[in-house]
Structures are given as C-alpha cells and as structure tokens.
Amino acid sequence: MITIRGYGVVGSLCILASIAGVAESQQSAFTEEAVSRGIDVFVTNSIEQFGCGVALVDLDNDGDCDAIITGGPGGQVRLYENDGTGQFTDRSAGSGIPNITKASGITAADYDDDGDLDLYFSNHLEPDQLMQNTGSFTFSDVTLAAGLGSNGAGMGACWGDINGDGYLDLYVPMRTGVFGSTVRNAFYQNNGDGTFTENALLLGIQAVDDPGLVSTFFDYDRDGDADLYLGNDKGSGPSYTNHLYENVGGTFIDVTAASGTEANVDCMGIGVGDWDHNGFQDLYVTNTPPGNVLLLNNGNGTFTDSSVISGTQSFMIGWAAMLFDYDNDMHQDLYVCQMMAPDRLYEYNGAWPALDVAPAMGVADMANSFCVAAGDIDNDGDLDMVMQSNGQNIKLYINNEGQKRHWVKLEIAGIGANRFGIGTNVDLLAGGLWQMREVFAGNNYKSQNERILHFGLDTQTTITQMDITWPGGTITRSLTGYSADQTWTIYPPNRLGDVNNNGKIDPADFAAAMACMRNQTFLPGCEIFDLDGDGDVDTNDLVAMGLNLIVPPPSKGQIRGTINRTP
C-alpha cells in the first residue's frame, strides 16, 4: 500500500484519486490512434504536389465512414473499411485502384446515379482517374470512357450540380505554369449518361493561366444553386487573385471584385462554414507568412475581411483549413494544417478572437502537414480527424471532447440523380442559436469530409427547428421536435411515406408506419413517416399517407430574410 506522509492510508487514497481526476480532466481532446485502429500508412512523394488527399466517406453504404489514403509507398492508394466502431480493415488488395505515383487530390461523388460513391483522383502531371464503385470495395477505371483524364498539375477538385439537372459536375483546378505544364483548369459538365463535356472556357470559369490550387462549390448567396470559389497560388505578389463565380441559371458571372473576395494570397486551402451564425457561408483561405484571410459573408453578396479581429491570421505557411465543431458547443472551430510550424486549432466560443488551443488539445503537429478530413469515425457523436503530413505516418485523431456534450447528425436524402443531396442547406435552431451547414463534395484542401452533417448542441436535448433546402431552393421542409444524440435521415417531400421507394404508398408502407406509431419513442428509421414534420408518427401522418397528401410546404426563399439568426 502506498501512503503519503501525514495522511495515512485513507488520506493517501483520496489524494491519489484527486490526482487521477485532475489528470483525466486535463486529457487532450484528441488522441492519435491510427495504428491501433488499423491504419498504418507512411506517406511518401507528397512534396512536389504539396500533399496527398485523404477522405472519410461511406463506400459501402453501411452508415459509417470508411477511409481512403493516398500517397503510400510506391503510390499506394489504401482503402480501409470501418466496422462501425472506428476499427479499420485494409481492403486495398483487389480494389482495382492502381498505384498512383503522383496522387494529389481525392473526391467522392455518385456521378452515375447508381447509389454509391465513386472516386476521382486528381493527379500531378499524370492523367487524372475516375474510378467507378462496383461494390464490395471494388472499382473500375472509367476515365477514358467518361471523357476525363487531364494530365496537368491537378489539385483540389470539387463536385456540384451547376444546372439543376441532378447530375453532379466536376471542377478540377490545375496549377498551370509549373514544371512546364500549360494544362488549364477544367470543368466537366455531366451529360447524365456516364460521360462529361469539358466547358470551362465556354462558361467563363477556366481562369485562363491562373495557377489554381483548390476549388469549392458552395451556395454563397443562398439562392439554391452552386457557386464556385477558386483559390490561386502566387497571389501575394499580387500576381493573381482568388475568384468567386456566381451561378446564374447554369452560367457564371465573375463577382470577385464586387463581393470583396479577391484575397491576394498564395492560396492553398479553403475552409467554408457559417462561422458567425448569420445563415451564410464564410470563407477562410490559407496563405504564406503575410497571413491567412477570413472573409465573413454579410448576406448581401459581399464579404468583410475579418482576419485581424478574428485572431486567425497565423502568419505561417498554411495548407488545409477546416471549419468543424470539435467540442460540440454549438460554435464551429477552425483547424489549419501548416508547414514548418505547429498545426493550429482555433477555438471559437461565439466571440472574437478565436484562440489557438492545438497544443492543449493534442493536435499541434510539428510535421509538414498538408491535408485533413473530418468524420465521426467511431460513431460516438463527435468529429474525429485523419491528417496527412509529408514523410510521416498517417495520423488518426480520435476526439475525446465532443462526447461530453449533445449533438445531432443529419443524413440528407437527395432528389433525382443527386441521391446524396450535394448542395443541400440545413438551418438548425437549438438553444436560441441558429447554425447552418451545407452538403459538400470536396473539402478543405484536396480531401473530403464525411458527408453526414454534424451539429454540436452543447446542453440542448431537442432541436427547436430544422429548415432543409434542397438544391434549386424551391423544395424545402421545416421540422420540429427532433431529439439530440441521434443520426436522423432527412427525406425530401416526394419520398415521404414511401419506405420501400417504389414510387407509391402501399400496404407495406402503412404497416411500417403503424409499427413506428406503436413505438413509445420516435427513433431513427421512422422519420420517413413524419409527413407533417413534428417529430413523431401519429394518426395525422397516417391520414396524410392515406390521402396521398405528400405536399411540400411553401418555399421560404431567402430564409435569412424572415428569421432572425443573430446569435
């Protein structure tokens, strides 16, 4: 028995318990657990292309995020299947994905409307590759058949439906001008038959000879369509600026100057998120030591440079930038990968400045970090991270902090060929505070986050209201009374009541709805029968099913104009 002088056995035990309690309370928010969870990849060949992308996406439609790692020895691309608890099995062998010696970026999207996620690899001075998901972690190279395969200095691609036909289109930025490459940015418009047509110049979004590094589709003006933000390298001269292209009926207008989004920086990463809770997406772009830039969206088509007041300039060489609520306190935080300096985790609590808590939280990585993606790897309600650094093993940061608070996750069911709801916006009210998220395909820097939308709820156990706006802006739903600490599937109006998805409401649907109604608690799996959106299944829903009254509520249009979202 260990004793402490002057306190005896009982006193000694009390003091030891107190010390243990203090140690537990000071545990880092994140612990690095890649190898112990089955991911063991040493990243090579990532300096020339400035990092190799990572992704946390559900490849087998079983409800958890699997992991894709590029940049392994000899150009290995590693696929890891998640067992639902955050333990991974290497499924790379026999996947059909070849070694890619100059892998650069990775995105996942259902380009062919068959219900699973396909993979696009943007490569550095090697032909890009589109790999069609054929099930069971196997893929087929359909690059040439699809009309793709640019061989420029490929960087951070993104997907979005720019013309509202439901089929996802692809933008691929090229770092034009490096290593003698003259290949320019490409925009591949989806023809809906498995092929694409390159239309960047036609639509005015080629950016001519700009050295593009990263791109993102997002609905900056909340009009229901996919706008494009393009980040360019070599802008701190200033030689180049970033570009914001507004989508107007499937064509684009350069609104960079009018919106104030030029950002003359050596742009590497783009973080997108509604940081200030006003219902509009903000932009954070990384840079070299002159400082990173935070552009807050004013909601009127303009942005305000808030870099100084936010305290997030960093003044180092920044790469990926990611907005996510790591501690589930209802405010998004910011993770920044850096070269030759510790990574940063800027914690935001609703007031500026945001504070860098990376050392205390266990994520101040000192290596040359490039790419990062977030997802709830172990399905405990908080967001974990996979991070790639040059000449290092992949790091898997498991979150131990967010589970201390409440949360909700939303799986968005799409409409038509856009089955995964890319471009859908959700406004969520809980505890008097509005939060907004958008479903993206292509995030941060050459990587992809888990598609399921995650909201921290702090102490709140119910959601006051959720407004869902599908791409196009005219199909909406408003839901109330949904509980915290669940993953809910949100269906568009045309799917309500039709659990077997056969296009009609039949006896099997009624039987399933009645089984849900008999449950004392409204649980995931029953939300498709909540036709009136009040967080339960009752006789009103059955009557609506019987009368086939599946009518969407009126469109709210610019939701921000009718609801006060000020924190």
Side-chain angles (χ1 to χ4, degrees):
M1 174 67 66
I2 300 175
T3 61
I4 298 177
R5 184 178 298 173
Y7 290 93
V9 173
V10 175
S12 300
L13 290 174
C14 291
I15 289 176
L16 289 172
S18 176
I19 293 172
V22 170
E24 182 178 357
S25 68
Q26 293 178 341
Q27 180 187 25
S28 297
F30 293 90
T31 52
E32 201 290 300
E33 302 179 17
V35 173
S36 66
R37 289 180 175 268
I39 294 180
D40 187 2
V41 183
F42 183 83
V43 176
T44 61
N45 302 322
S46 75
I47 283 293
E48 182 178 297
Q49 64 269 44
F50 298 119
C52 302
V54 293
L56 291 172
V57 294
D58 186 359
L59 292 176
D60 52 357
N61 288 334
D62 65 350
D64 53 45
C65 52
D66 309 301
I68 308 167
I69 310 296
T70 64
Q76 292 176 5
V77 176
R78 303 283 280 275
L79 305 185
Y80 290 94
E81 181 180 7
N82 192 336
D83 70 353
T85 70
Q87 295 293 328
F88 292 90
T89 300
D90 192 335
R91 298 294 301 275
S92 309
S95 70
I97 299 178
N99 289 358
I100 305 174
T101 56
K102 295 295 182 181
S104 184
I106 181 172
T107 56
D110 182 13
Y111 86 95
D112 53 358
D113 184 29
D114 66 351
D116 53 28
L117 293 174
D118 311 295
L119 302 177
Y120 185 80
F121 296 93
S122 51
N123 301 324
H124 193 258
L125 305 177
E126 291 183 355
D128 294 351
Q129 290 165 286
L130 176 63
M131 306 298 298
Q132 183 183 46
N133 191 336
T134 53
S136 301
F137 288 89
T138 62
F139 293 81
S140 176
D141 190 336
V142 295
T143 310
L144 296 181
L148 304 178
S150 294
N151 62 348
M155 300 299 284
C158 61
W159 297 83
D161 176 15
I162 67 107
N163 58 2
D165 65 354
Y167 289 93
L168 295 177
D169 311 301
L170 173 67
Y171 192 88
V172 185
M174 302 288 176
R175 196 162 171 256
T176 308
V178 299
F179 300 100
S181 175
T182 58
V183 178
R184 296 171 174 172
N185 299 340
F187 174 70
Y188 297 104
Q189 198 152 345
N190 195 327
N191 299 318
D193 59 0
T195 69
F196 294 80
T197 300
E198 205 289 300
N199 281 333
L201 184 61
L202 177 68
L203 294 177
I205 53 177
Q206 190 178 57
V208 194
D209 294 322
D210 288 12
L213 240 70
V214 64
S215 60
T216 185
F217 281 117
F218 76 120
D219 187 4
Y220 90 96
D221 50 3
R222 298 301 302 271
D223 66 350
D225 54 27
D227 308 299
L228 175 67
Y229 192 66
L230 174 62
N232 282 315
D233 193 10
K234 307 183 189 309
S236 61
S239 303
Y240 301 94
T241 70
N242 290 352
H243 294 284
L244 177 61
Y245 298 102
E246 181 185 358
N247 187 337
V248 181
T251 62
F252 289 91
I253 299 174
D254 191 332
V255 295
T256 308
S259 62
T261 53
E262 297 95 334
N264 287 96
V265 298
D266 299 325
C267 180
M268 279 78 92
I270 302 174
V272 183
D274 177 19
W275 214 0
D276 56 358
H277 299 280
N278 73 341
F280 291 87
Q281 300 280 23
D282 309 307
L283 294 167
Y284 181 87
V285 296
T286 54
N287 188 20
T288 48
N292 301 341
V293 176
L294 172 64
L295 299 169
L296 292 182
N297 192 332
N298 299 314
N300 61 1
T302 68
F303 291 72
T304 298
D305 187 334
S306 303
S307 313
V308 176
I309 191 174
S310 70
T312 60
Q313 289 178 286
S314 186
F315 302 110
M316 299 297 176
I317 301 175
W319 292 99
M322 177 174 69
L323 282 158
F324 72 130
D325 185 0
Y326 89 91
D327 53 1
N328 281 344
D329 69 347
M330 303 175 71
H331 303 291
Q332 291 193 89
D333 311 293
L334 172 67
Y335 190 76
V336 182
C337 287
Q338 300 196 136
M339 177 184 281
M340 297 183 290
D343 294 345
R344 297 191 185 275
L345 175 59
Y346 289 104
E347 183 174 289
Y348 178 63
N349 61 8
W352 306 119
L355 301 177
D356 180 16
V357 297
M361 299 298 104
V363 290
D365 190 85
M366 285 294 297
N368 290 332
S369 302
F370 290 108
C371 299
V372 68
D376 187 3
I377 290 169
D378 49 3
N379 280 319
D380 64 350
D382 55 27
L383 290 173
D384 313 294
M385 298 190 295
V386 60
M387 195 268 289
Q388 176 268 317
S389 300
N390 183 63
Q392 301 280 323
N393 268 39
I394 285 289
K395 293 181 174 62
L396 189 64
Y397 289 117
I398 299 299
N399 192 336
N400 307 301
E401 177 68 22
Q403 60 198 256
K404 299 175 183 176
R405 301 171 189 88
H406 296 291
W407 52 273
V408 70
K409 296 192 294 183
L410 305 179
E411 168 92 9
I412 305 298
I415 297 173
N418 187 0
R419 297 196 191 198
F420 291 92
I422 306 303
T424 302
N425 280 274
V426 175
D427 296 87
L428 182 146
L429 175 64
L433 185 67
W434 283 97
Q435 303 180 60
M436 191 269 278
R437 304 284 190 273
E438 183 173 346
V439 184
F440 297 120
N443 301 85
N444 314 331
Y445 170 65
K446 304 201 296 187
S447 299
Q448 185 147 333
N449 296 339
E450 183 181 18
R451 182 182 51 84
I452 294 175
L453 299 181
H454 170 273
F455 296 82
L457 298 177
D458 200 14
T459 61
Q460 305 302 310
T461 58
T462 59
I463 293 97
T464 305
Q465 183 176 336
M466 293 188 291
D467 295 330
I468 301 92
T469 306
W470 279 266
T474 59
I475 299 177
T476 68
R477 291 186 68 198
S478 188
L479 308 178
T480 61
Y482 280 65
S483 60
D485 305 326
Q486 300 283 1
T487 300
W488 300 103
T489 301
I490 307 300
Y491 294 93
N494 69 314
R495 279 295 316 281
L496 293 176
D498 183 14
V499 69
N500 52 20
N501 197 21
N502 63 357
K504 62 182 179 180
I505 295 177
D506 53 29
D509 297 317
F510 272 105
M514 292 185 67
C516 284
M517 189 172 68
R518 287 192 291 268
N519 293 335
Q520 294 183 346
T521 304
F522 183 63
L523 296 172
C526 292
E527 53 269 58
I528 197 169
F529 301 118
D530 181 21
L531 274 70
D532 56 6
D534 61 354
D536 62 25
V537 179
D538 57 19
T539 55
N540 292 330
D541 300 305
L542 292 180
V543 169
M545 288 175 63
L547 297 177
N548 200 27
L549 295 178
I550 309 177
V551 180
S555 172
K556 297 181 177 61
Q558 290 283 348
I559 300 174
R560 181 66 181 90
T562 59
I563 300 174
N564 180 11
R565 300 179 187 279
T566 303

